[in-house]
Amino acid sequence: MKSDIILAGVGGQGILSIAAAIGLAAVKENLYIKQAEVHGMSQRGGDVQSNLRISDKPIASDLIPAGKATLILSVEPMESLRYLPLLSENGWLVTNSTPFNNITDYPSTESIIAEIKKVKNHIIIDADAIAKEAGSSRASNIVMLGAASPFLDMPFESIEDGIRQLFGRKGADVVETNLKALRAGRAYTEKNS
Amino acid sequence: MEKQLLLGDEALAQGAIDAGLSGVYAYPGTPSTEIMEYVQGSKLAAERNIHRKWSANEKTAMEAAIGMSYAGKRAMVCFKHVGLNVAADAFVNAAVTGVNGGLVVVSADDPSMHSSQNEQDSRFYAKFAMIPILEPSNQQEAYDMAYIAFELSEQLNVPIMIRITTRLAHSRADVVRKAMKQQNEVKLPSDPRQFVLLPAIARRNYKKLLLGQAAMELEAEKSPFNQYIEGANKKMGIITTGIAFNYLMENYPDRVCPYPVLKITQYPLPQKLVSKIYNECDELLILEEGAPVVEEMIRGFLNLGKPVHGRLNGLLPRDGELNPNLVAKSLGMSYYEGNAIPEIVKNRPPSLCQGCGHRDVYADLNEALKEYGTGRVFADIGCYTLGALPPFNAINTTVDMGASITMAKGAADAGLVPAVAVIGDSTFTHSGMTGLLDAVLENAPITVIISDNSTTGMTGGQDSSALGKILEICKGIGVDPEHIHVTTPLHKNHEENVALIKKELAYQGVSVIIPQRECIQTFARRKREEKKNA
Ligand SMILES: Cc1ncc(C[n+]2csc(CCOP(=O)(O)OP(=O)(O)O)c2C)c(N)n1
Ligand code: SF4
């Protein structure tokens, strides 16, 4: 078992909560993990990424080599494209469709979507809308995790457990909302892939 | 014990706590910040009453740690690589005093300058001070090395440097802990003059340090952290340091490299092991994160020996981080390169948060400076450095922490009047205060703007030593109170603030303007915590 995941987004969008949920699931499955994060300057609205590697064998590098990522999980559409050199031939690109536009030369939505559609395996999902339906617009990252979950090579139950652990401190309501968001994301991918 | 998922920084912190640490001294700086933050968040550290407050700067941190070592206890200092420049005087001399309680200096390098103004390699400093370095290759080693470093320091009677780089500092992996050790008791040095560096004593101590080199090398020679891994193909021998080992092994899915590999994680370089790989192999490839420190040593100035490949002969880039692909290329291996980044993808540089007070400060300053023209704003290091980018384009220099005030003074001395300094609150108490004294002593015609957001914003909002003290400090240093002003950087105060800056720009002496408004990120976090604790 081996998943090499690029989590992508913009500083402040909170991709690390996705990483934490997957990490907890992987620990439960007794798998090896390495997760390289970006702290510092880029967190002020710059592009950020996390390299998350999970395997049943010890992992050497903290960074995913070019062409080896099995999944790009992006919470922002333009950012999903920044890491294409890392995606493997059969890897999946799963991205939120809502742009985060904090630069003056942000490309048109159509051009971004057109580029994403050139990638063999891709899922484009309006995670913000689905999160709202699930009861919390703040859960869009967890919708994204749900949408990417079929490509994670891990039992869905373990990911659900990861969510329970991650949000447990915040109370049963928050856990339920996030589980709902997770399942809604997964359902979307199951219907659209 | 059960496994924990820890950042390299956190693994170091936990290893030090478990090793009987009594105090950690640090000033924030990416990628080292999370070491102190982990200790501050640790219940165990609180129970054991481990010192864990931020210092005003890296030099004060280093000196306090030397003091704790003098008193017999184990102390750790943490900073980013450029922090070591600030602490260097104390650091180098601590090698001459030697230690009493174990003293460990963690310097976190940032090759590729993700969040830094240079990519200097801290190993040069350790070599300069003639002390051992531990350079972990993974999170478990980071833990294990912090765990043994204090004893090694006490045994060899020198501070130990632990050198890490960004990728290890900020990457998480499983770590297994060891049994907890007791803290040392307070105990004076057996030689009461050990720490008195009068020339006569310093000469004696220095000879001891020189004599001690052999013992340090012996430790590296027999260290379980340094490994010689046999390989059948002797055409090439590979020396890796720190995390470069991982990038090498990533290219061999079964983790077997056909060439002999010498994995270095403890210095000084073990000469026997290096000779062995040199003698056994036709050529050498040196893989190290950062500067070609080891490569240069082995190659030698005249490069008369066997071919040595690496960053110096262009097989690897001279600057920047390594990665598995660069290493693959250096070995002549090919790989699937993936698809190119589409052209429509634009750069997304970091920027000041919407609503940040620094934004208003720059809007005010730009307006006030219009009549004088551009090129006279000397800034410093912090979130406000982002004022260099559009739409503000407001600052002209950023060199090192504290340089705003002193450079403005130098430029004013040269005749560039008015000259403006822009500095943050934490940077001001880090190393702006002494420069302000220089300016006051000569009544230099500069306007100093201390943009006070009541936090250390850039590194994630740590407590600022300046909190609530800036006004009194400026008065105490001798700035004329008539020319010290506290303002509120808000859009509604724009005109009033512009007028005030204009007035002070025209004044032929030192003025200080302190725009004061809390960082909105720190504010939001404070509110969340207040709610949680309510
Ligand atoms: C010698 C040195 N130490 C630490 C750092 C890391 N560093 C960069 S900016 C900064 C914080 C500055 O805080 P402040 O001056 O209050 O400005 P703010 O970011 O809050 O606007 C720190 C600690 C550095 N660049 N150089
Ligand atoms: S973190 Fe604080 S100081 Fe830094 S840009 Fe954001 S609001 Fe401004």
Side-chain angles (χ1 to χ4, degrees):
Chain A
M1 180 279 153
K2 193 156 166 280
S3 290
D4 281 332
I5 308 158
I6 298 289
L7 298 167
V10 180
Q13 282 192 307
I15 57 168
L16 292 185
S17 60
I18 305 178
I22 302 176
L24 289 166
V27 168
K28 179 145 189 283
E29 293 292 309
N30 231 338
L31 296 165
Y32 291 95
I33 306 174
K34 278 205 172 182
Q35 184 207 328
E37 307 170 355
V38 172
H39 298 218
M41 191 111 175
S42 311
Q43 285 176 305
R44 306 271 156 275
D47 51 277
V48 292
Q49 107 298 113
S50 170
N51 286 226
L52 178 55
R53 314 192 73 187
I54 302 170
S55 172
D56 52 10
K57 292 193 197 69
I59 301 161
S61 164
D62 296 270
L63 295 176
I64 299 171
K68 286 280 168 66
T70 52
L71 171 67
I72 291 175
L73 198 181
S74 181
V75 299
E76 206 279 345
M78 184 180 82
E79 291 308 319
S80 74
L81 296 167
R82 198 181 296 282
Y83 305 98
L84 282 188
L86 295 175
L87 192 63
S88 65
E89 278 173 291
N90 294 313
W92 279 84
L93 185 158
V94 180
T95 182
N96 188 4
S97 62
T98 313
F100 188 101
N101 186 348
N102 63 344
I103 51 177
T104 50
D105 52 356
Y106 194 89
S108 73
T109 309
E110 299 78 63
S111 65
I112 295 174
I113 299 295
E115 287 293 342
I116 293 171
K117 287 192 168 154
K118 288 186 197 162
V119 177
K120 188 166 83 182
N121 301 317
H122 65 265
I123 302 276
I124 307 172
I125 173 170
D126 187 346
D128 293 50
I130 295 180
K132 218 177 260 165
E133 266 169 50
S136 163
S137 51
R138 283 174 53 196
S140 81
N141 280 358
I142 303 304
V143 172
M144 290 308 306
L145 172 56
S149 63
F151 314 117
L152 279 177
D153 202 2
M154 252 194 276
F156 188 58
E157 295 69 38
S158 295
I159 300 172
E160 288 181 319
D161 275 347
I163 296 290
R164 287 191 190 95
Q165 248 180 291
L166 190 62
F167 294 103
R169 278 186 305 128
K170 298 191 176 169
D173 283 0
V174 178
V175 171
E176 250 344 283
T177 311
N178 280 287
L179 283 175
K180 215 168 139 192
L182 183 80
R183 289 171 195 143
R186 186 171 177 99
Y188 181 90
T189 295
E190 279 170 347
K191 231 185 309 151
N192 293 282
S193 61
Chain B
M1 271 198 217
E2 71 177 288
K3 286 187 196 170
Q4 273 177 286
L5 261 189
L6 296 180
L7 294 176
D9 275 351
E10 298 173 341
L12 284 174
Q14 187 64 57
I17 293 171
D18 292 346
L21 178 76
S22 295
V24 47
Y25 294 88
Y27 182 75
T30 314
S32 71
T33 312
E34 291 77 11
I35 305 171
M36 174 65 109
E37 289 186 330
Y38 183 85
V39 179
Q40 290 177 337
S42 156
K43 263 205 211 132
L44 198 60
E47 277 164 24
R48 303 192 122 206
N49 199 22
I50 294 174
H51 176 277
R52 54 192 185 285
K53 282 232 183 310
W54 293 107
S55 303
N57 68 35
E58 292 87 353
K59 180 173 182 282
T60 65
M62 182 78 222
E63 290 158 349
I66 299 172
M68 184 171 267
S69 166
Y70 170 90
K73 296 207 174 192
R74 296 182 167 178
M76 182 157 86
V77 197
C78 314
F79 35 62
K80 69 182 295 168
H81 57 343
V82 288
L84 183 49
N85 298 335
V86 178
D89 196 9
F91 170 80
V92 174
N93 290 321
V96 183
T97 60
V99 306
N100 186 20
L103 178 57
V104 173
V105 181
V106 182
S107 190
D109 291 356
D110 188 20
S112 284
M113 300 178 241
H114 297 282
S115 293
S116 303
Q117 60 271 42
N118 75 27
E119 61 170 32
Q120 65 184 59
D121 191 315
S122 297
R123 292 176 299 168
F124 283 114
Y125 267 107
K127 205 161 168 265
F128 185 52
M130 292 188 286
I131 63 167
I133 312 168
L134 300 171
E135 190 189 1
S137 72
N138 58 44
Q139 292 76 357
Q140 183 67 52
E141 276 183 9
Y143 175 89
D144 293 343
M145 287 177 165
Y147 190 77
I148 60 120
F150 297 92
E151 260 160 37
L152 190 63
S153 163
E154 286 162 12
Q155 178 200 328
L156 294 170
N157 189 29
V158 282
I160 303 291
M161 173 186 282
I162 298 184
R163 185 236 185 189
I164 54 170
T165 52
T166 306
R167 290 303 167 187
L168 179 60
H170 288 164
S171 176
R172 245 171 249 283
D174 298 338
V175 172
V176 182
R177 286 173 57 191
K178 296 188 190 333
M180 183 94 170
K181 293 183 196 170
Q182 288 302 316
Q183 294 184 39
N184 291 354
E185 298 295 329
V186 171
K187 183 176 135 280
L188 291 179
S190 50
D191 169 6
R193 300 209 294 177
Q194 177 189 340
F195 285 78
V196 186
L197 291 187
L198 273 170
I201 304 169
R203 279 193 288 270
R204 192 196 63 197
N205 280 6
Y206 186 58
K207 279 210 191 330
K208 259 200 218 161
L209 176 64
L210 293 173
L211 272 177
Q213 297 301 303
M216 294 177 206
E217 196 185 316
L218 187 65
E219 286 301 321
E221 210 75 68
K222 63 177 202 206
S223 166
F225 295 120
N226 287 336
Q227 284 169 359
Y228 197 99
I229 305 162
E230 301 291 344
N233 188 342
K234 307 277 199 293
K235 281 211 167 64
M236 178 87 86
I238 304 175
I239 299 180
T240 69
T241 75
I243 63 170
F245 179 75
N246 308 339
Y247 298 144
L248 174 66
M249 287 305 164
E250 182 67 31
N251 287 295
Y252 300 103
D254 53 1
R255 305 290 179 251
V256 181
C257 175
Y259 308 107
V261 177
L262 175 56
K263 179 190 183 207
I264 300 285
T265 44
Q266 180 170 342
Y267 309 67
L269 271 190
Q271 203 202 1
K272 282 201 191 106
L273 289 170
V274 173
S275 304
K276 179 170 149 114
I277 198 162
Y278 184 88
N279 291 332
E280 239 175 49
C281 303
D282 301 342
E283 303 184 8
L284 289 184
L285 170 64
I286 319 290
L287 304 173
E288 52 192 324
E289 191 76 310
V293 176
V294 171
E295 187 180 341
E296 211 164 63
M297 287 172 72
I298 292 174
R299 191 174 193 257
F301 182 65
L302 294 178
N303 193 18
L304 297 175
K306 292 179 179 177
V308 175
H309 306 284
R311 291 185 185 270
L312 289 172
N313 77 340
L315 197 60
L316 288 160
R318 178 62 183 80
D319 61 341
E321 284 184 294
L322 293 180
N323 62 42
N325 298 111
L326 288 172
V327 172
K329 257 187 223 157
S330 75
L331 288 163
M333 297 165 104
S334 61
Y335 53 89
Y336 169 67
E337 297 207 19
N339 288 324
I341 304 174
E343 255 172 49
I344 58 156
V345 176
K346 296 293 185 283
N347 287 337
R348 201 191 290 265
S351 54
L352 290 167
C353 301
Q354 292 304 324
C356 172
H358 296 319
R359 284 182 173 263
D360 295 290
V361 170
Y362 285 129
D364 299 345
L365 179 62
N366 279 351
E367 180 70 29
L369 273 171
K370 265 191 187 146
E371 61 190 278
Y372 297 102
T374 55
R376 51 182 77 245
V377 181
F378 301 85
D380 229 296
I381 305 192
C383 283
Y384 51 95
T385 312
L386 295 171
L389 305 177
F392 303 105
N393 305 309
I395 65 171
N396 306 108
T397 69
T398 294
V399 178
D400 65 86
M401 288 188 76
S404 57
I405 298 175
T406 34
M407 282 182 69
K409 178 183 178 291
D413 291 346
L416 187 69
V417 178
V420 179
V422 178
I423 186 168
D425 51 318
S426 179
T427 305
F428 179 66
T429 44
H430 176 283
S431 47
M433 300 186 291
T434 40
L436 185 59
L437 180 60
D438 280 350
V440 165
L441 290 176
E442 296 183 36
N443 201 27
I446 64 171
T447 302
V448 178
I449 298 181
I450 306 176
S451 192
D452 177 10
N453 58 5
S454 311
T455 193
T456 319
M458 178 55 92
T459 44
Q462 294 76 25
D463 292 341
S464 164
S465 306
L467 190 65
K469 297 194 167 58
I470 297 177
L471 182 62
E472 294 305 319
I473 291 173
C474 293
K475 284 189 198 160
I477 286 175
V479 182
D480 179 353
E482 298 262 300
H483 293 281
I484 308 178
H485 310 275
V486 178
T487 64
T488 307
L490 277 171
H491 183 64
K492 63 171 190 194
N493 300 336
H494 176 65
E495 265 153 46
E496 189 187 322
N497 290 341
V498 171
L500 179 74
I501 299 172
K502 277 188 177 170
K503 192 178 120 233
E504 291 304 337
L505 288 174
Y507 170 62
Q508 293 299 305
V510 179
S511 16
V512 175
I513 300 173
I514 311 167
Q516 223 162 39
R517 181 152 72 78
E518 187 174 3
C519 156
I520 56 168
Q521 303 290 353
T522 309
F523 175 79
R525 203 177 53 209
R526 194 161 55 79
K527 288 290 159 201
R528 275 199 303 275
E529 272 158 26
E530 279 172 17
K531 211 169 116 193
K532 211 170 74 191
N533 298 331

